[in-house]
Amino acid sequence: ASEERADSGQVVEALARMLAMCEAEAEDEEGTASFSRLRRALQRALRSAESVPSRRARQVAQRAALLDELATWPPCQELLVQLNHRGERTREALERLRRDVAALAGDAHVAELAFDVEDALRLPPGALFGLNPMRPGGVVHLTGMAASGAEHLESAAGVLERFDEDSGRWAVRLLEE
């Protein structure tokens, strides 16, 4: 069976609506308790795979546990029913969204929304969607600059340009203050 190509517009819409749902739940009095329970369950899901020795296997196990928890959250179920035209179950729709986000990792808007959703859920960057926050175009704040004699750059904002394999460091373009 051939895989359908991820549609950037649909993925952006899904992520934007997921982010709005998280923000609305966090602000709604009734939703706040449910959202807090979900966040705690997601943290437990992350910890559940900590003993898996292989980093890659641990990430896969954590991602699966996170998707399982999200699939049981009623607001997420309702959202995915609204977005889902394929008749997939909630867990399948979440897995498809995760794969689509990964396929569009080079799209800055998709990546930014994916990281915003993870942040709203209080997850580490990349925990749910698998994107690496350290990528060209990513905004960073410099730390540890005093140790290299560049105290004036401590906490300066910059944009990651490219990774230098030889030095093991990123080339960073500083942003104007």
Side-chain angles (χ1 to χ4, degrees):
S2 66
E3 283 287 315
E4 286 187 38
R5 186 172 159 84
D7 178 287
S8 177
Q10 289 176 342
V11 172
V12 165
E13 178 189 3
L15 289 171
R17 290 180 65 181
M18 194 173 204
L19 179 61
M21 172 195 64
C22 290
E23 291 170 345
E25 287 293 313
E27 292 175 10
D28 178 52
E29 257 182 65
E30 288 181 29
T32 300
S34 167
F35 196 48
S36 293
R37 281 191 302 275
L38 172 69
R39 286 175 166 167
R40 285 191 303 275
L42 293 173
Q43 292 304 314
R44 282 191 305 273
L46 282 175
R47 287 190 303 273
S48 71
E50 285 179 346
S51 63
V52 175
S54 158
R55 183 175 160 263
R56 175 77 178 124
R58 183 173 46 256
Q59 289 172 334
V60 169
Q62 287 175 327
R63 203 162 293 124
L66 291 173
L67 291 174
D68 289 343
E69 285 297 334
L70 271 176
T72 64
W73 189 45
C76 190
Q77 292 171 340
E78 293 168 23
L79 172 67
L80 289 165
V81 166
Q82 293 169 14
L83 294 170
N84 186 8
H85 304 290
R86 298 179 185 172
E88 296 168 313
R89 293 189 325 254
T90 304
R91 176 63 168 79
E92 292 167 341
L94 280 168
E95 179 58 33
R96 182 174 42 82
L97 177 60
R98 189 204 60 76
R99 282 192 317 266
D100 288 350
V101 167
L104 295 166
D107 181 316
H109 194 194
V110 168
E112 180 180 348
L113 282 168
F115 290 127
D116 287 348
V117 168
E118 290 171 334
D119 185 54
L121 293 169
R122 294 197 179 134
L123 295 172
L128 180 60
F129 296 109
L131 301 184
N132 185 348
M134 297 293 287
R135 66 187 191 296
V139 176
V140 295
H141 293 274
L142 305 180
T143 60
M145 301 308 294
S148 62
E151 298 86 10
H152 63 288
L153 294 176
E154 189 67 32
S155 298
V159 176
L160 297 174
E161 295 287 315
R162 69 189 177 307
F163 186 73
D164 182 334
E165 294 288 336
D166 293 335
S167 70
R169 296 176 181 254
W170 281 89
V172 177
R173 177 176 40 86
L174 294 176
L175 297 174
E176 298 293 324
E177 291 191 24

